[in-house]
Amino acid sequence: QAIIWLAFSSSKHDTLAITDYADRYVLDQLKVLPGVATVIIGGDRRFAMRIWLDRDRLAAFGLTPLDVENALRKQNIEVPGGRIESTTREFTVTTQTDLRTAEEFNNLIVNEAQGYPVRLKDIGRAELSAEDWRKIVRVGGNEAVGLGVVKQSTANTLDVAHAVRELQPKIQAGLPDGMQVKVAFDSAIFIDEAIKAVKSTIFEALILVVLVIFLFLRSIRSTLIPFVTIPVSLIGAFIFLYALGFTINILTLLGIVLAIGLVVDDAIVVLENIYRHIEEGMAPRKAALVGSKEISFAVIAMTITLAAVFTPLAFIPGNTGKLFSEFALTVAAAVLVSGFVALTLTPMMCSKLLKHHAKHSAIYNFTERFFVAMNNGYRRVLGKLVRRSAVGRVIFLAIIFGIAGFGIFTLLNMLKSELSPQEDRSWFMTYTLAPEGSTFAYTNQYALAIEKILKDVPEINTSFVVVAPGLEKPNPVNIAMSFNMVKPWSQRTKKTGQISGELFPKFMALPGVLTFPINPPSLGQSFRNLPVRS
């Protein structure tokens, strides 16, 4: 599937000339871009000599179409003309014995009738036209020729799309007068924006984590330690990503977002234990050694446990495993690095930054009362539950929670199943199916009506319409599709799901064809495949 389409249109050239120019001058420029596998030409019209026969005249001369075909095969050929030899060189002689112009084809002698030659113009006509008129591409209501760039399986979608967009101004500068090129469809826009959103989420998560840590530690020096260990752990995880051959994509960045909350746990546990010893009067360096030694076993166990939870996701077969293996291994790598950092960098920073405070600020003392009360309350509740007399209460609570868990599990089974939730990818498509046996003109007539409906939608920027898209062989002419790029997310209030939902009844009201909008699947599978199959 093409990841980006360039549409060529002109106010002075027909689609035959546009196709010829795009094929000869633009196609190779796109093919040599890094990561490009091939380039598809959509709506192309190839030059061909079309022969139109008059059946009445054929019958009058006693001829059949096969006679015309045989005459073309015999006379429209290239015949070698021999060679010219000299003492040191030899030259091949070529003769122009093939037919090239419509006039030459019209003067072709097909047969003889009563001693007179019967030429092609006597039984029909020849004209230079398109090889196939039974397909068309329109962009914004104007006929166009599309070049679709297909990336290699190992290539990066963003890199290929950016390379095509950088080449577009150079292509436009070399186009003939009246011809123009525009990006009609680009699937990389959503990927680019999604990665930007995840990157901003990483910084938001980092800020929120640091604020929560400061809220509980109430010390800038103490907060500085996990603030440093978080990026160190994440950067260390990228070393593993590079070794595993992963890229920076939505799934690996999602793993980084989740890892922010996990990698800070080890550092906080070590920090709190060291800080407790310092508050009791121990020297910072000794407190760092003693505190980290006391808690090292728990940190190692917690780190390995978290990594062991996510690692099995990498061994899931099928598409799910291919997708979430990068996510799982990213989280596991970040957790392993955080455990190492918590037992090395964190104690070192504690020994240098933490100090014993005989007195604290008024804000610290005020919040300390709240935390002391919370700890005392938890201690009282826990003490009552662990007494022998409270065994019945504990069993009763366990039964209540078990029943509640079973009820929640039952409700979860009642939910609908899907491979992934629908996303607003800033584009959607329409699929039109005319009755079997419909002509190209019939399908194109309804495609124009659908374009008119799409034109009235203010959120749509560009509509890329294809009649007879060639999804099957031979190419059926009773199918039409449109790829509709909508405005950026910040410039509209409706999601693509809402837009397609509003268009559905309008399409269903069209008599004679079946038309419906389709939101692209989130994980890149074909729109013709079911998301979940039993």
Side-chain angles (χ1 to χ4, degrees):
Q1 296 180 356
I3 62 170
I4 184 171
W5 280 90
L6 296 179
F8 292 80
S9 58
S10 176
S11 58
K12 299 181 179 180
H13 306 82
D14 57 11
T15 51
L16 283 165
I18 298 174
T19 301
D20 183 63
Y21 182 87
D23 188 23
R24 287 196 293 161
Y25 298 104
V26 182
L27 200 67
D28 291 338
Q29 296 184 54
L30 294 173
K31 284 185 176 180
V32 298
L33 292 177
V36 174
T38 186
V39 180
I40 305 170
I41 302 183
D44 55 317
R45 302 279 172 80
R46 305 286 180 174
F47 281 103
M49 193 63 67
R50 304 295 299 268
I51 307 297
W52 301 95
L53 300 177
D54 188 325
R55 61 177 181 270
D56 295 331
R57 291 188 178 186
L58 278 174
F61 286 104
L63 300 175
T64 65
L66 183 60
D67 296 325
V68 179
E69 182 181 349
N70 291 333
L72 286 169
R73 291 183 183 277
K74 292 179 181 179
Q75 301 181 48
N76 185 29
I77 56 175
E78 291 184 359
V79 180
R83 64 181 179 270
I84 299 175
E85 298 180 357
S86 68
T87 55
T88 58
R89 297 290 302 275
E90 183 176 293
F91 303 92
T92 300
V93 177
T94 59
T95 55
Q96 293 184 356
T97 55
D98 57 326
L99 306 177
R100 296 176 179 270
T101 65
E103 182 180 0
E104 292 175 351
F105 275 89
N106 282 321
N107 290 325
L108 173 73
I109 298 177
V110 178
N111 207 336
E112 289 187 0
Q114 298 179 358
Y116 292 95
V118 179
R119 301 183 184 274
L120 179 62
K121 62 184 178 182
D122 298 326
I123 55 175
R125 73 181 191 279
E127 64 177 12
L128 186 62
S129 182
E131 181 181 2
D132 184 9
W133 287 97
R134 292 159 54 90
K135 54 185 174 181
I136 193 170
V137 166
R138 282 190 295 270
V139 177
N142 300 318
E143 278 197 47
V145 174
L147 292 185
V149 178
V150 181
K151 76 178 187 70
Q152 299 173 4
S153 59
T154 57
N156 187 294
T157 302
L158 291 178
D159 291 341
V160 175
H162 290 166
V164 173
R165 284 187 172 275
E166 289 179 359
L167 183 64
Q168 180 189 352
K170 298 179 181 178
I171 296 175
Q172 179 65 56
L175 292 178
D177 185 33
M179 193 179 299
Q180 60 181 358
V181 59
K182 63 182 294 187
V183 177
F185 173 78
D186 188 358
S187 62
I189 295 177
F190 170 77
I191 302 174
D192 196 15
E193 292 296 327
I195 290 179
K196 290 179 181 178
V198 175
K199 287 180 179 178
S200 64
T201 303
I202 291 176
F203 289 104
E204 293 170 2
L206 181 61
I207 293 172
L208 290 175
V209 167
V210 171
L211 289 176
V212 172
I213 294 172
F214 178 76
L215 178 65
F216 282 87
L217 297 181
R218 294 155 295 165
S219 170
I220 296 178
R221 285 174 174 266
S222 301
T223 306
L224 185 62
I225 295 171
F227 180 76
V228 173
T229 57
I230 291 174
V232 170
S233 299
L234 298 182
I235 292 172
F238 280 107
I239 298 175
F240 288 89
L241 298 185
Y242 180 79
L244 292 170
F246 295 162
T247 60
I248 297 178
N249 53 54
I250 296 176
L251 291 170
T252 53
L253 290 178
L254 182 62
I256 293 296
V257 173
L258 178 62
I260 291 176
L262 298 176
V263 300
V264 75
D265 292 345
D266 296 336
I268 290 177
V269 170
V270 175
L271 167 66
E272 194 277 333
N273 199 46
I274 295 173
Y275 186 71
R276 179 174 59 86
H277 285 293
I278 294 176
E279 287 295 297
E280 292 175 353
M282 190 178 292
R285 188 174 184 276
K286 185 178 180 180
L289 293 173
V290 174
S292 59
K293 185 178 181 181
E294 290 177 347
I295 208 72
S296 60
F297 180 80
V299 170
I300 293 173
M302 184 168 58
T303 300
I304 295 176
T305 301
L306 286 173
V309 169
F310 287 96
T311 302
L313 291 175
F315 301 101
I316 298 177
N319 291 333
T320 305
K322 292 178 182 179
L323 289 168
F324 291 101
S325 61
E326 296 190 13
F327 165 77
L329 294 179
T330 299
V331 177
V335 169
L336 290 174
V337 175
S338 71
F340 176 78
V341 171
L343 296 176
T344 54
L345 179 62
T346 300
M348 185 276 294
M349 295 185 67
C350 289
S351 66
K352 300 297 182 181
L353 295 178
L354 298 184
K355 294 180 180 180
H356 175 70
H357 297 281
K359 294 183 179 180
H360 295 285
S361 63
I363 297 177
Y364 184 94
N365 294 329
F366 176 78
T367 54
E368 184 68 13
R369 298 190 193 99
F370 168 75
F371 289 117
V372 170
M374 183 178 64
N375 288 336
N376 292 336
Y378 174 72
R379 185 181 293 109
R380 287 193 298 270
V381 173
L382 185 61
K384 291 180 180 180
L385 292 177
V386 297
R387 293 173 186 170
R388 291 185 179 180
S389 60
V391 174
R393 299 175 187 175
V394 174
I395 295 175
F396 176 75
L397 289 175
I399 294 174
I400 293 298
F401 282 117
I403 295 174
F406 179 78
I408 294 174
F409 180 75
T410 304
L411 290 175
L412 290 177
N413 287 334
M414 295 173 62
L415 295 177
K416 295 181 180 180
S417 299
E418 60 181 358
L419 182 61
S420 62
Q422 288 291 339
E423 295 177 304
D424 185 347
R425 303 179 75 89
S426 198
W427 69 276
F428 69 96
M429 59 184 297
T430 65
Y431 186 85
T432 301
L433 181 63
E436 190 71 28
S438 300
T439 64
F440 175 79
Y442 180 91
T443 308
N444 187 41
Q445 173 187 355
Y446 279 97
L448 290 170
I450 293 167
E451 285 182 71
K452 187 176 180 181
I453 295 175
L454 295 172
K455 191 176 181 181
D456 294 334
V457 180
E459 289 82 8
I460 295 179
N461 261 344
T462 306
S463 291
F464 183 82
V465 180
V466 185
V467 182
L471 298 177
E472 303 171 9
K473 291 184 179 181
N475 185 16
V477 296
N478 65 325
I479 296 176
M481 300 173 65
S482 74
F483 301 87
N484 310 289
M485 296 295 297
V486 301
K487 294 180 179 178
W489 294 268
S490 59
Q491 299 179 15
R492 55 185 167 91
T493 56
K494 295 181 181 179
K495 295 183 178 180
T496 52
Q498 294 175 280
I499 298 172
S500 58
E502 294 175 357
L503 288 172
F504 189 81
K506 297 180 181 179
F507 291 152
M508 289 293 105
L510 290 174
V513 292
L514 175 63
T515 302
F516 48 89
I518 301 174
N519 285 303
S522 300
L523 301 180
Q525 65 267 30
S526 173
F527 69 94
R528 292 184 290 177
N529 293 340
L530 294 175
V532 177
R533 284 180 288 182
S534 59

PDB file of all heavy atoms in Angstrom, residues 87 335 448:
ATOM      1  N   THR A  87      36.462  -1.396 -43.824  1.00  0.00           N
ATOM      2  CA  THR A  87      37.667  -2.156 -43.457  1.00  0.00           C
ATOM      3  C   THR A  87      37.821  -2.295 -41.945  1.00  0.00           C
ATOM      4  O   THR A  87      38.373  -3.286 -41.466  1.00  0.00           O
ATOM      5  CB  THR A  87      38.908  -1.457 -44.024  1.00  0.00           C
ATOM      6  OG1 THR A  87      38.919  -0.089 -43.562  1.00  0.00           O
ATOM      7  CG2 THR A  87      38.894  -1.484 -45.557  1.00  0.00           C
ATOM      8  N   VAL A 335      13.347  -0.930  33.437  1.00  0.00           N
ATOM      9  CA  VAL A 335      13.264  -1.380  34.834  1.00  0.00           C
ATOM     10  C   VAL A 335      14.595  -1.969  35.287  1.00  0.00           C
ATOM     11  O   VAL A 335      15.066  -1.709  36.415  1.00  0.00           O
ATOM     12  CB  VAL A 335      12.116  -2.395  34.989  1.00  0.00           C
ATOM     13  CG1 VAL A 335      12.186  -3.075  36.346  1.00  0.00           C
ATOM     14  CG2 VAL A 335      10.778  -1.699  34.820  1.00  0.00           C
ATOM     15  N   LEU A 448     -19.192  10.838  -8.851  1.00  0.00           N
ATOM     16  CA  LEU A 448     -19.334  12.296  -8.877  1.00  0.00           C
ATOM     17  C   LEU A 448     -20.353  12.768  -7.843  1.00  0.00           C
ATOM     18  O   LEU A 448     -20.163  13.805  -7.185  1.00  0.00           O
ATOM     19  CB  LEU A 448     -19.759  12.748 -10.280  1.00  0.00           C
ATOM     20  CG  LEU A 448     -18.707  12.605 -11.387  1.00  0.00           C
ATOM     21  CD1 LEU A 448     -19.330  12.854 -12.756  1.00  0.00           C
ATOM     22  CD2 LEU A 448     -17.545  13.574 -11.149  1.00  0.00           C
TER      23      LEU A 448
END
